[in-house]
Amino acid sequence: MRWLRRGLRFLGWRPDSTTHQEKLISALGTTLALILLYWVTHLVMAAEGALWVTGSMGASAVLVFAMPHGTLSQPWSVIGGHVLSAAFGVACIQWLPAGFWLAALAVGGSVIIMMYARCLHPPGSATAMIVVLGGPQIAEAGYNFVLYPILLDVLVIVLFAVLFNSLFTSRRYPLPLTRHPVGRAPGIAPEDFEHALKQMNAYMDIDFNDLLRLVELANTNAQSKGVSAGDLVAGGYYSNGLPGRNWSVREVLQVVSRPGRAGRVRYRIIKGAGEGGNGICRVSEFVRWARYQVAPDEQGRQWHRVTDDSKASVEP
């Protein structure tokens, strides 16, 4: 089914590295936030108008609780994105003639405003559309609608997100509350990253310091100790750690020790360059080739490093 995997990757499907616990926490936070939001919104609006508003706020809740470390989910993005977009939507219906194009203009204009204000938040554009299409109740409220319920709702989301995410050590919201110390990635300076991002000329939904931290950890892992002869076991998988088409994974079929002579390793190539082939070589040659031991995920599609911690977790 290689063609299916390629098709999914072309559409943007990617393996998920989050745990089941993290997924459940995201769902729980989103659910509780929307229950609270629904109650608060109905205090200041009739049922029909409140129903319109909770749609875009629900999308914000997904970002804040499922991606609390993303730049699109930070407080300024949430608050500024909704408030500025709502204000622009009100201006559109008050100063421009009605037409089929008005909602599209409100969305497009809100994107420009949010990008220049550095608070890009996709659900904010939905709020701008809601203002235009929401009916007479929203139109009559005018700029008061920006304060009640839009500003009120986003403050509820942000404050609840700060409280909820603080209960879990793996989550930081907003990002400045907790910051991992960021060193200097070998050979790469922060200015190099900033210049590279400008060259890409694309919006990246990741905090700059988190990006540096990620590369620093990757460099540390890349410089860690490789595989030794004592690490080789029959049935184990080993990768050469090379990029692109040169990457390969071998399964050790047999390790033959010969007293007084160099040992031998019999293996087969199960992924990457030379897939399907077999071979035999000296233990010293295999160790020079292997960079680290690996293991497949549950679906057998992605490979990850086997660390000392993961080895200990599977030992009886």
Side-chain angles (χ1 to χ4, degrees), residues 33-58 130 137-138 145 147-157:
L34 287 179
I35 292 174
L36 178 61
L37 195 67
Y38 188 82
W39 177 75
V40 170
T41 305
H42 276 71
L43 293 178
V44 295
M45 292 195 72
E48 182 179 354
L51 184 63
W52 277 88
V53 174
T54 51
S56 63
M57 296 299 166
I130 287 171
Q137 182 183 2
I138 296 178
F145 179 78
L147 299 177
Y148 304 100
I150 297 301
L151 179 59
L152 176 63
D153 282 353
V154 294
L155 289 177
V156 168
I157 290 179

Side-chain angles (χ1 to χ4, degrees), residues 28-312:
L28 177 62
T30 303
T31 302
L32 294 177
L34 287 179
I35 292 174
L36 178 61
L37 195 67
Y38 188 82
W39 177 75
V40 170
T41 305
H42 276 71
L43 293 178
V44 295
M45 292 195 72
E48 182 179 354
L51 184 63
W52 277 88
V53 174
T54 51
S56 63
M57 296 299 166
S60 291
V62 172
L63 285 174
V64 169
F65 292 96
M67 301 177 61
H69 301 161
T71 56
L72 299 181
S73 309
Q74 298 311 298
W76 172 238
S77 294
V78 178
I79 297 172
H82 279 291
V83 171
L84 294 178
S85 297
F88 183 73
V90 172
C92 286
I93 59 176
Q94 289 190 349
W95 295 94
L96 297 176
F100 68 92
W101 49 270
L102 193 59
L105 177 64
V107 173
S110 68
V111 171
I112 294 177
I113 293 173
M114 287 187 290
M115 293 188 75
Y116 275 108
R118 299 183 181 181
C119 59
L120 184 62
H121 188 66
S125 292
T127 296
M129 178 176 284
I130 287 171
V131 172
V132 175
L133 301 179
Q137 182 183 2
I138 296 178
E140 291 172 4
Y143 287 103
N144 289 330
F145 179 78
V146 179
L147 299 177
Y148 304 100
I150 297 301
L151 179 59
L152 176 63
D153 282 353
V154 294
L155 289 177
V156 168
I157 290 179
V158 169
L159 292 176
F160 183 73
V162 172
L163 175 63
F164 181 84
N165 288 316
S166 67
L167 301 176
F168 308 95
T169 56
S170 62
R171 290 170 166 250
R172 300 167 314 184
Y173 190 84
L175 284 173
L177 283 183
T178 305
R179 178 65 60 202
H180 294 300
V182 177
R184 181 177 183 272
I188 304 176
E191 293 80 6
D192 297 325
F193 271 104
E194 188 167 1
H195 183 64
L197 289 173
K198 289 181 179 178
Q199 287 179 309
M200 290 181 65
N201 194 27
Y203 194 91
M204 305 295 288
D205 187 23
I206 183 172
D207 181 73
F208 184 72
N209 285 326
D210 279 348
L211 181 62
L212 291 178
R213 176 65 174 168
L214 179 63
V215 175
E216 180 185 13
L217 291 174
N219 274 285
T220 301
N221 292 332
Q223 296 173 10
S224 61
K225 181 179 69 69
V227 175
S228 65
D231 296 329
L232 300 182
V233 293
Y237 302 103
Y238 302 87
S239 167
N240 60 358
L242 295 178
R245 296 182 179 180
N246 295 319
W247 172 78
S248 179
V249 174
R250 295 177 179 178
E251 179 186 8
V252 172
L253 302 177
Q254 185 181 20
V255 180
V256 180
S257 299
R258 301 187 298 180
R261 301 177 62 184
R264 292 287 192 269
V265 176
R266 189 163 63 87
Y267 63 87
R268 64 176 176 179
I269 305 173
I270 61 174
K271 277 294 181 181
E275 182 174 344
N278 295 273
I280 185 170
C281 66
R282 294 181 178 181
V283 170
S284 58
E285 294 176 358
F286 192 92
V287 168
R288 283 197 300 270
W289 173 89
R291 190 167 183 180
Y292 33 69
Q293 187 176 357
V294 295
D297 60 11
E298 295 178 356
Q299 292 77 30
R301 297 174 181 173
Q302 298 295 321
W303 295 82
H304 60 85
R305 289 185 57 178
V306 176
T307 62
D308 292 336
D309 292 338
S310 60
K311 288 179 182 178

